[in-house]
Amino acid sequence: MIRSIFSVGGWTLLSRLTGFVRDIVMAAVLGAGPVADAFYIAFRLPNHFRSIFAEGAFNTAFIPAYARVKTQLGDASAARFANGILTAVVVVQLALLALALLATHWVVALLAPGLSDDPQRFALTVDFTRITFPYLGLIAVVTLVGGVLNANDRFWAAAAASILLNVAMVGTLSVVGLFPTAGDAAAWGVLISGFLQVALLVFDAERHGLGPRFGRPRLDPETRRFLVALGPAILGSAGTQLAIFADTIIASFLPQGAIAALFYADRINQLPIGVVGIAAGIVLLPEMSRRIAANDYDGARYAQSRAIELTVLLSLPFLAASLTIPEIIMRGLFMRGAFTPEAAQAAGATLAAYGVGLIPFVIIRSLSAPFYARGDTRTPMLATLGAAAVNIALKIALIDHLAQVGLAFATSIGGWITVIALAVLAHRRGYECGDAPLRRALPRLALIAALLAAVLYAASRYGDVVVTALPVGQEEARLALCIASGGVAYVLLVLLLLGRGYLRTLLCPRRVPASP
């Protein structure tokens, strides 16, 4: 499992790095003006629906169901189950696409009402949304095929697929002169990447004898159980996306540049969430599903605890940096071309607000896994919906005083509420929720984060003596100095406070015997 987490994390890291190249190109070409705002809204709309109906809800219901059918009924039954679900997914996505294309004006007006007073941004958003929305259907197919591969311990293709999104968008933005606007170039890059991702996943599945086929959907007991789990999963994902929708809706009333600040800050914040948290969740869910199906509850608890421990340990540098040097990060990465110092300052403050909630968002999948592995999607749904209600209320309360920073801070508070609720509910039901070694390690991990933050703060304050002497590249050099200082301090603090024995146990854990 640890090996697979690093494999998925490695591919996800490569995806995020190519994503940063994409964002640098987008920042230089799109900037933070009306075209950028219109594209980011158009890009968010299919991503919201993708997170609700595809990746978020579908994976949590499909992977445990597929693993259960494969374990109990065999490979042939699992293939028939997946093929029937594939046919149903394609039909639903085609219907949703037709509805969205016919009603794009109403969809944009509903989800970004603040654009109604800005005809230019509204018209651009409608045009870009019509280009990007088919991406949703393609990613739904990618998600299903990726779920089949993950349940068969094949992780790399699904983790690497999003690299193609970045490559395609950089490619179209590189020939921006061939399109009416830079937003059109970015939107067509999104759509092209969807076809490339489908091709990659189908190729890898065929290579391992897991290729998808269209089959007649059957309402057998396993399909009914999957649908029963899917309903609450959709509602839970909808709760999360509803809070993000609220960001889009509320931010549309803010001055130009607020939506772009949210986008760039979220991109940085998503790096540890994707590389560490989501990677661990992707691997942990099938691992716990198999162990719980075999009544190996000790093994399931051990796997979950080590996953949480590893994700928190690897997230500490990102946490410290987000809270202490957020503006330095934004200036070093993006401040060129149309991306101004004022835009970097706004995005940096937003990143710090997101950083408050980094840890809960990194571990939330690991805490949800015990519920999903048992087919219980209702409990995480209730926790998510409750947190979303508080999240949206806070956004409305903070928007007047803190603008987009208030939106990001409310998102962080919502993440903490979700994690606390999941931990309490898991404890009450006797589900896996950490072990004694994890609880002993947490105070030392917190101390590492605090000391690392102090090192980064000192580097940012006293490094100017060296950086200001440079004729060019001062912002990049300041960021590089902080990264180098923080990297050395992180390694030394981990070795000093945790020790090599701890790391050996965490990264090369013992094989857990099955429970009798």
Side-chain angles (χ1 to χ4, degrees), residues 2-176:
I2 298 293
R3 230 182 359 254
S4 296
I5 289 175
F6 277 108
S7 173
V8 174
W11 284 107
T12 307
L13 176 60
L14 182 58
S15 172
R16 301 296 180 178
L17 292 175
T18 57
F20 284 140
V21 174
R22 181 199 76 186
D23 290 343
I24 291 170
V25 173
M26 288 173 60
V29 177
L30 283 173
V35 174
D37 284 350
F39 170 74
Y40 294 139
I41 292 174
F43 191 31
R44 273 193 166 191
L45 296 182
N47 278 329
H48 288 325
F49 285 102
R50 181 201 71 189
S51 298
I52 294 172
F53 296 106
E55 293 179 350
F58 189 86
N59 272 338
T60 55
F62 177 77
I63 291 178
Y66 179 89
R68 187 169 54 249
V69 173
K70 177 179 168 63
T71 300
Q72 298 176 356
L73 302 178
D75 293 341
S77 296
R80 283 194 299 271
F81 172 74
N83 292 339
I85 299 298
L86 171 64
T87 303
V89 165
V90 170
V91 170
V92 170
Q93 291 298 327
L94 288 174
L96 183 61
L97 173 61
L99 181 63
L101 293 180
L102 289 173
T104 310
H105 279 84
W106 290 274
V107 171
V108 173
L110 175 66
L111 299 178
L115 299 183
S116 300
D117 297 330
D118 189 337
Q120 181 191 12
R121 284 201 297 171
F122 185 86
L124 287 171
T125 303
V126 170
D127 291 341
F128 298 160
T129 300
R130 285 177 172 154
I131 299 171
T132 60
F133 209 89
Y135 177 72
L136 167 63
L138 297 169
I139 293 304
V141 176
V142 168
T143 302
L144 185 144
V145 179
V148 171
L149 288 169
N150 288 351
N152 286 276
D153 293 327
R154 307 288 180 182
F155 295 103
W156 81 267
S162 58
I163 296 173
L164 298 175
L165 170 65
N166 305 322
V167 171
M169 291 184 67
V170 170
T172 53
L173 287 169
S174 299
V175 290
V176 66

Side-chain angles (χ1 to χ4, degrees), residues 322-405:
S322 295
L323 296 178
T324 54
I325 57 167
E327 187 174 344
I328 290 176
I329 293 172
M330 290 298 173
R331 294 172 73 95
L333 289 176
F334 300 125
M335 203 178 76
R336 59 187 56 81
F339 199 84
T340 64
E342 293 75 19
Q345 183 180 21
T350 308
L351 175 60
Y354 276 130
V356 173
L358 177 60
I359 293 300
F361 281 109
V362 164
I363 66 173
I364 197 167
R365 288 207 174 196
S366 296
L367 287 177
S368 301
F371 300 96
Y372 292 139
R374 291 172 167 84
D376 177 8
T377 54
R378 181 176 176 274
T379 301
M381 174 200 72
L382 295 175
T384 301
L385 291 179
V390 176
N391 185 353
I392 294 172
L394 277 175
K395 291 180 191 298
I396 296 171
L398 297 174
I399 185 66
D400 289 337
H401 303 289
L402 299 176
Q404 81 279 354
V405 177

Side-chain angles (χ1 to χ4, degrees), residues 180-240:
T181 69
D184 287 280
W188 279 106
V190 171
L191 181 58
I192 291 169
S193 78
F195 289 100
L196 296 177
Q197 291 179 65
V198 170
L200 173 65
L201 269 292
V202 170
F203 170 77
D204 191 54
E206 291 288 351
R207 202 161 60 94
H208 294 100
L210 301 168
R213 302 287 185 274
F214 289 109
R216 183 169 64 87
R218 304 170 184 271
L219 201 60
D220 54 26
E222 286 302 327
T223 302
R224 290 194 195 96
R225 188 172 177 181
F226 162 72
L227 293 175
V228 168
L230 182 62
I234 289 175
L235 291 176
S237 295
T240 301

Side-chain angles (χ1 to χ4, degrees), residues 407-481:
L407 302 182
F409 182 73
T411 299
S412 296
I413 298 302
W416 278 108
I417 292 173
T418 303
V419 161
I420 292 171
L422 288 172
V424 170
L425 292 170
H427 178 73
R428 287 182 177 177
R429 300 187 182 189
Y431 291 174
E432 297 76 19
C433 189
D435 58 9
L438 172 62
R439 289 188 286 273
R440 287 195 299 268
L442 289 178
R444 287 179 288 170
L445 294 172
L447 179 58
I448 290 173
L451 294 175
L452 182 57
V455 170
L456 289 173
Y457 179 76
S460 67
R461 285 289 302 273
Y462 302 111
D464 284 346
V465 177
V466 178
V467 171
T468 52
L470 298 175
V472 293
Q474 292 182 2
E475 302 300 339
E476 292 83 355
R478 185 177 287 107
L479 177 59
L481 177 62

